[in-house]
Amino acid sequence: MLLWLAVCYGAYSACYLAHLSWGATLSSDYAGRSRIFAWWQAGVLVGMIAVLATPVIVEGALHYDHQTRVAAMPWLVAALLPLRVLIAVSTVREPIGDRPHVPPRWIDYLRLMLQPTIARLLIADLVIGTAMGMNSALFFFYFGMVKHVPLLDITILLFLNLCGSLCCTPIWNYLTGRIGKHRAAAVAFILNAVSLLVIAVMPADRVIGGIVLFLVGLTLSAGPLLLRSMMADAGDEEYLRSGYDRTGLISALFAGTNKLGLALAPGITFLGLGFTHFDPVGRNGSAALATLTAFYIGVPATLGVITAALIVGHRLTAARHAAICAELAAKKQPH
């Protein structure tokens, strides 16, 4: 199990890094990158919705048992992933690179992490990734033990949550052209924090829960979409500064913060729950349930506000990026 998990996640990291840096090179336009990553995020959400719909169909419509419905999810991924990769590499042409590259060194990663623009984006990605990772890790526990929602209904709530995220992807893309990527991201993180507080006070009703979780989903797609689009813009700034294309290295750093956030979230939450003798399969006292609520509602909401305050100070605006592109274009002109 350990060996094949290592192989699986190692392969996933390679795919994720290549996919992320590939998308960053498809356009150098400020708004164009937002559109690319909007479609990228939409694809991610469609995939997640398809996987989540599988157990609902297998158990709810086809009446198979719980074990069969869980096993159907990885089989779906294993069947579709090679096909989708084949479609991507055969239909999307690799951009012709005209920027010089040098073999990366460990010191290059450190230097990039110390660049103000990149450092701000990495910290924001880590903090909001940890917050969302907490919500993901505790979703079934919170709604099952605090809200007392049946297991199949929780899966439906998660499905509706992702549907809301998918529906709002074009809206965040539109807002980037009106108020800029960093302000749109700050608005999304604040709204996500507020939506968590709404979840805390909403009644345990199936219809109300479905509506609320759908609306909460409207705030979720902005972080991955906008932060990665801003990451691509930072690659242009770095190229102007250093004279070398560091898109792959910057993508690798973002892949690292993504995984660090996903690792920190369950580590912090389950370690904290362990101190209150939380039982994932049995009854829990008031202290354990209060801690569960704090880690699902309070901590992620606070982290969302912190991320909003951090990202609103992002200096690589549309005007600044346009100036960078103009300088790069001027350097290409023959003298």
Side-chain angles (χ1 to χ4, degrees):
M1 176 71 76
L2 180 62
L3 171 64
W4 286 107
L5 279 173
V7 171
C8 178
Y9 281 99
Y12 169 77
S13 295
C15 291
Y16 178 83
L17 176 56
H19 200 233
L20 183 62
S21 56
W22 189 9
T25 62
L26 292 178
S27 174
S28 60
D29 180 68
Y30 182 85
R33 280 179 173 150
S34 293
R35 289 192 295 270
I36 288 171
F37 281 98
W39 282 103
W40 175 81
Q41 180 66 9
V44 171
L45 292 168
V46 168
M48 295 175 68
I49 290 170
V51 171
L52 280 174
T54 301
V56 175
I57 295 172
V58 170
E59 183 178 358
L62 302 180
H63 306 294
Y64 282 94
D65 58 22
H66 177 73
Q67 184 175 359
T68 302
R69 74 159 188 160
V70 172
M73 299 166 73
W75 279 113
L76 178 69
V77 175
L80 290 182
L81 184 59
L83 175 63
R84 297 305 180 184
V85 170
L86 179 62
I87 292 173
V89 299
S90 62
T91 58
V92 182
R93 180 174 299 177
E94 181 77 13
I96 298 175
D98 60 351
R99 296 183 176 184
H101 295 75
V102 291
R105 302 167 298 170
W106 286 108
I107 191 66
D108 294 327
Y109 289 96
L110 179 59
R111 287 171 178 167
L112 285 174
M113 292 171 65
L114 295 177
Q115 293 297 322
T117 299
I118 297 173
R120 185 187 297 270
L121 292 174
L122 288 173
I123 295 171
D125 189 54
L126 175 63
V127 175
I128 200 63
T130 302
M132 293 185 176
M134 287 181 171
N135 288 146
S136 297
L138 299 178
F139 190 92
F140 282 84
F141 292 122
Y142 178 78
F143 283 98
M145 296 181 176
V146 176
K147 296 297 185 180
H148 305 291
V149 178
L151 183 59
L152 184 57
D153 286 354
I154 298 176
T155 305
I156 295 173
L157 289 179
L158 184 56
F159 176 81
L160 292 172
N161 186 242
L162 293 175
C163 287
S165 185
L166 176 62
C167 291
C168 201
T169 298
I171 297 176
W172 296 118
N173 182 41
Y174 169 78
L175 282 178
T176 62
R178 305 293 296 180
I179 61 176
K181 299 175 186 178
H182 60 301
R183 293 191 184 94
V187 169
F189 298 145
I190 291 293
L191 289 178
N192 182 253
V194 172
S195 68
L196 288 172
L197 300 179
V198 174
I199 289 177
V201 300
M202 76 177 190
D205 179 83
R206 178 185 295 182
V207 175
I208 294 176
I211 294 172
V212 169
L213 266 293
F214 180 86
L215 295 176
V216 169
L218 300 179
T219 67
L220 295 179
S221 60
L225 185 169
L226 297 174
L227 289 177
R228 277 144 189 80
S229 181
M230 286 188 276
M231 172 213 73
D233 296 335
D236 293 330
E237 183 183 56
E238 173 60 22
Y239 176 49
L240 179 64
R241 187 193 68 83
S242 68
Y244 294 104
D245 187 359
R246 304 291 193 186
T247 303
L249 273 67
I250 298 173
S251 299
L253 290 173
F254 267 78
T257 55
N258 176 265
K259 290 178 175 50
L260 182 58
L262 291 176
L264 285 175
I268 294 171
T269 53
F270 292 126
L271 182 64
L273 287 171
F275 285 117
T276 62
H277 305 290
F278 175 78
D279 186 352
V281 295
R283 297 180 62 85
N284 289 283
S286 58
L289 293 179
T291 305
L292 174 59
T293 301
F295 278 129
Y296 185 81
I297 302 292
V299 176
T302 303
L303 293 178
V305 173
I306 291 173
T307 310
L310 178 66
I311 206 62
V312 79
H314 181 68
R315 297 183 182 274
L316 188 49
T317 61
R320 172 57 184 155
H321 184 260
I324 289 173
C325 290
E327 289 186 59
L328 292 174
K331 287 186 175 184
K332 290 182 181 180
Q333 298 296 327
H335 298 285

